Amino acid sequence: MRLIRYVLMSFLFLSGHSAAEITSIEHAINTASHQSMLTQQMLKDYMLIGLSVRGRKAEQELAESIKDYEKTQKLILAYAKTDAEKQALKRATEQWEVVKPLYLAKPTREKATEVRQATELLLQQWSAVTMEIVENNDSRFGKVISTAGFVRMLAQRVTSHYALRAWGFQDEYSEAFISSLQLFEQNRSELEGDPLNNDQIKAELNKIQRDFKRFKGLSDSASDKGRLALVVRSAEKITTSMDKVTAMYVYQGLSF
């Protein structure tokens, strides 16, 4: 019961419905990797709005993601301990000032490439923040939390690139789309074999494997607007499951 309660609390935090001071290295790694996921979620929503696919829901999610992103950025800035972490955060904070106006503007196909490029840099900078936090910790759960967060991000990344291809950027982003799918599968498989897994984590990872097979079946063909809503819903299920898995790793790290 205690595990379930903690996981639900962690999930609420990650979903932007709660905010709390970061008090542990495990929480910090999870939070930083959550920012990486939000960069890809915002990119996905931008494309969905522009394509008029689940547009109203995408508009709502984009607005919530921006608020969640800025709230969480403040928490991580308050937590940062080393000079390297602070410098990495400074670069990410400065890039957000470039990215935010792009997401506040009306989505257009003409701006799609610029938005993707600016967001890609933001993703790289948050990956650097996460890496700095992981490297400056003594938690045996640091690496597995980081890997789980990376898989969570990839669930949104493959969807954003599917949407880009569906909007007419098939040639430009096919390689990034395929690479993201491969990275998802490689890192998901790595998590499955981690010796730190308990029965609850194993069960959730098995569910993710089944969901990913269905997702990959939907996304294997050429990207098109008609399939996009199905791909998005499938990716949302995987992202939710990865939130749970990551929260369970965090709980184990705090309890160890």
Side-chain angles (χ1 to χ4, degrees):
M1 182 62 68
R2 185 184 174 202
L3 171 62
I4 294 172
R5 184 164 57 249
Y6 182 84
V7 169
L8 288 174
M9 289 174 63
S10 299
F11 180 69
L12 286 173
F13 169 78
L14 292 172
S15 301
H17 299 301
S18 178
E21 179 185 0
I22 299 172
T23 56
S24 72
I25 189 68
E26 292 85 4
H27 192 182
I29 295 168
N30 192 11
T31 304
S33 69
H34 179 63
Q35 291 290 85
S36 292
M37 185 277 290
L38 284 177
T39 69
Q40 301 307 291
Q41 185 167 283
M42 288 186 284
L43 180 61
K44 173 203 70 179
D45 288 330
Y46 183 95
M47 302 305 156
L48 292 178
I49 296 166
L51 284 162
S52 298
V53 174
R54 303 177 81 198
R56 184 173 297 178
K57 183 173 182 180
E59 287 178 358
Q60 181 180 359
E61 185 177 75
L62 178 58
E64 290 174 352
S65 295
I66 291 172
K67 291 179 182 178
D68 188 6
Y69 180 100
E70 294 190 322
K71 183 193 322 179
T72 306
Q73 180 175 265
K74 290 178 181 178
L75 292 173
I76 302 175
L77 284 168
Y79 170 84
K81 300 184 181 303
T82 69
D83 288 341
E85 290 171 5
K86 292 174 183 177
Q87 284 300 312
L89 278 166
K90 182 176 183 291
R91 290 188 288 271
T93 302
E94 290 172 347
Q95 182 62 15
W96 174 241
E97 296 304 314
V98 175
V99 171
K100 183 181 178 180
L102 298 174
Y103 283 115
L104 293 178
K106 181 179 178 181
T108 65
R109 189 178 184 279
E110 291 72 25
K111 284 284 187 178
T113 297
E114 179 185 353
V115 172
R116 191 267 178 182
Q117 290 174 342
T119 304
E120 188 73 2
L121 180 55
L122 187 63
L123 170 63
Q124 291 170 11
Q125 290 166 338
W126 275 109
S127 296
V129 171
T130 306
M131 181 184 69
E132 290 295 344
I133 298 173
V134 170
E135 288 184 350
N136 291 286
N137 83 91
D138 56 1
S139 169
R140 64 181 293 195
F141 288 86
K143 185 177 184 299
V144 73
I145 293 169
S146 176
T147 301
F150 184 61
V151 175
R152 176 176 56 196
M153 178 277 292
L154 287 168
Q156 292 296 310
R157 182 174 174 80
V158 292
T159 314
S160 68
H161 283 79
Y162 186 97
L164 276 161
R165 295 167 77 207
W167 210 356
F169 298 98
Q170 185 79 25
D171 295 336
E172 293 91 332
Y173 299 113
S174 286
E175 184 177 343
F177 174 74
I178 293 169
S179 174
S180 296
L181 282 172
Q182 292 172 341
L183 283 170
F184 183 100
E185 181 61 11
Q186 290 167 8
N187 284 272
R188 184 200 60 77
S189 296
E190 180 182 329
L191 287 176
E192 282 191 338
D194 198 287
L196 297 174
N197 292 346
N198 58 27
D199 289 342
Q200 293 93 339
I201 291 173
K202 289 176 182 177
E204 199 66 39
L205 287 173
N206 285 336
K207 178 179 180 296
I208 291 167
Q209 182 182 22
R210 295 192 298 271
D211 289 339
F212 180 69
K213 286 181 179 178
R214 288 192 287 269
F215 174 83
K216 197 168 184 301
L218 286 170
S219 63
D220 270 344
S221 59
S223 299
D224 66 80
K225 185 176 176 180
R227 280 177 169 240
L228 181 54
L230 294 174
V231 170
V232 170
R233 281 195 290 271
S234 183
E236 285 174 348
K237 288 179 63 178
I238 294 172
T239 304
T240 298
S241 291
M242 282 309 308
D243 266 342
K244 294 177 183 178
V245 168
T246 314
M248 284 189 277
Y249 283 131
V250 171
Y251 174 79
Q252 285 201 106
L254 292 174
S255 302
F256 182 75

